[in-house]
Amino acid sequence: MVGLKSGNIEGFEQFSQFSSLQELNTHIEMWLAKHKQDFSKGALVGLKRLVRFSAKIPGLCNAKIGTILKAIHQEYSDHGISRSTFKRMIQKAKDLGILTVYETERKNGSQSSNLYSFNRFPSNELPKEEILNHPKETNNLLKTEKDQKKKERKEEPSELDHTYVSDRVPQPFVQLVKCFFPEAKAIEEHWKIVKITAYQHHWENDPELILDVAIQSFKQLIRKLKFNSNIKNPFGYFYGILEHKFLILYHEALEEKFDVNDEKIVFCLGSNLNH
């Protein structure tokens, strides 16, 4: 898409989808919880550096690729990443929906540096069905013995089970989630989403409430998955449920706080009148 005129990043503020750096970082963590394994080590370095270059206007960057690569080379003592690795990262991020890329042009019509705009993690996106519990099947019956052995080695279980989950994850949550997602990594990723959402809505200092909301939300997620085969992205849907519950609790707490303050004001006014 060509047509945007190049200029200072402030001139593209309307393309930002985030109100703060904290909000941007929250959504980046959500994207990486879901898609980190889709990027090579070098590509992740490039992606994280692009995020850092997107701080002035949260989620937007129009720096030249050369400028970004130079910063990476300096940080890693001249052991950075190549331009081709960075471009592959951009294409992968576009394909996954993490980034939108806009081409810009100078006044004379020549192409200038791209505008990179990070997207919000979709709270109600419907991910691919195979993410649920449907392993892919192979119908190729003409495999050679060598190919079959390779396949068997590849399919050997490599995931750690729930007994390897970090101590930071409460056991009641582990015991619930393991029934549907038995791998330690999956359980930890679900808990990470809980912690991110709780922090986003200012409940990070109430572990009992966080656990209660997490368990309720996960049960609601599983019920939805069992009765609705169209749900594609369990992680996104789980985030949406949590966000809704924490937001309601936050507003209830605010209302209660103001109600209490109003009562105090009325009480004080009444006392002064009596005197």
Side-chain angles (χ1 to χ4, degrees), residues 5-258:
K5 298 299 181 182
S6 61
N8 294 330
I9 192 64
E10 291 85 355
F12 299 108
E13 188 171 0
Q14 68 272 24
F15 288 91
S16 173
Q17 300 182 33
F18 305 96
S19 59
S20 65
L21 280 177
Q22 177 183 323
E23 187 179 28
L24 169 63
N25 289 332
T26 295
H27 281 261
I28 293 299
E29 286 190 45
M30 295 291 294
W31 280 117
L32 290 179
K34 179 77 179 96
H35 291 297
K36 184 176 181 179
Q37 70 279 3
D38 294 317
F39 293 92
S40 66
K41 184 177 180 181
L44 280 174
V45 169
L47 179 62
K48 291 177 180 179
R49 175 59 67 165
L50 184 61
V51 173
R52 290 169 65 180
F53 266 81
S54 304
K56 192 168 188 180
I57 303 295
L60 295 182
C61 172
N62 65 345
K64 296 177 181 177
I65 293 179
T67 302
I68 299 172
L69 293 179
K70 181 179 178 181
I72 295 173
H73 278 281
Q74 289 175 344
E75 181 178 354
Y76 289 89
S77 304
D78 294 327
H79 296 287
I81 64 174
S82 66
R83 179 177 287 265
S84 59
T85 297
F86 187 85
K87 287 186 173 181
R88 283 195 297 272
M89 177 276 293
I90 293 295
Q91 187 59 53
K92 174 65 73 173
K94 283 173 59 180
D95 293 342
L96 294 172
I98 300 173
L99 268 181
T100 299
V101 180
Y102 301 93
E103 295 180 358
T104 67
E105 59 182 24
R106 301 180 181 89
K107 290 182 180 180
N108 62 8
S110 61
Q111 188 173 345
S112 185
S113 55
N114 290 330
L115 173 68
Y116 303 104
S117 174
F118 281 97
N119 298 319
R120 299 174 68 84
F121 186 86
S123 59
N124 60 349
E125 182 209 25
L126 299 180
K128 292 182 182 165
E129 205 169 302
E130 55 262 24
I131 292 178
L132 303 183
N133 324 326
H134 308 298
K136 294 180 180 178
E137 297 180 0
T138 57
N139 295 319
N140 186 354
L141 301 178
L142 301 177
K143 295 270 186 191
T144 64
E145 185 178 353
K146 183 177 180 181
D147 289 338
Q148 190 62 34
K149 287 181 179 179
K150 283 183 179 178
K151 181 185 172 192
E152 288 172 359
R153 284 199 300 272
K154 189 174 182 180
E155 290 181 349
E156 287 176 357
S158 58
E159 295 284 354
L160 300 176
D161 67 19
H162 70 279
T163 59
Y164 291 88
V165 171
S166 167
D167 290 340
R168 292 190 294 271
V169 184
Q171 273 303 306
F173 188 77
V174 173
Q175 295 304 313
L176 172 63
V177 179
K178 75 171 186 178
C179 300
F180 305 93
F181 301 97
E183 298 84 6
K185 182 179 178 182
I187 297 171
E188 290 176 355
E189 285 180 352
H190 279 88
W191 183 248
K192 185 176 182 180
I193 293 172
V194 172
K195 295 289 287 183
I196 289 171
T197 317
Y199 179 81
Q200 189 176 0
H201 295 286
H202 311 290
W203 289 110
E204 66 274 14
N205 296 321
D206 194 334
E208 290 186 7
L209 181 140
I210 292 174
L211 178 59
D212 184 53
V213 171
I215 289 174
Q216 289 180 34
S217 299
F218 188 80
K219 287 180 178 179
Q220 189 173 332
L221 168 67
I222 295 303
R223 185 182 186 282
K224 194 71 176 180
L225 293 177
K226 294 298 182 183
F227 289 99
N228 189 343
S229 60
N230 290 325
I231 298 298
K232 296 178 184 177
N233 187 344
F235 284 102
Y237 202 90
F238 186 45
Y239 174 77
I241 297 170
L242 288 163
E243 188 174 44
H244 179 69
K245 288 185 180 295
F246 279 123
L247 190 60
I248 289 175
L249 289 169
Y250 179 70
H251 285 303
E252 288 177 349
L254 282 179
E255 289 175 4
E256 183 178 347
K257 179 180 179 181
F258 284 118

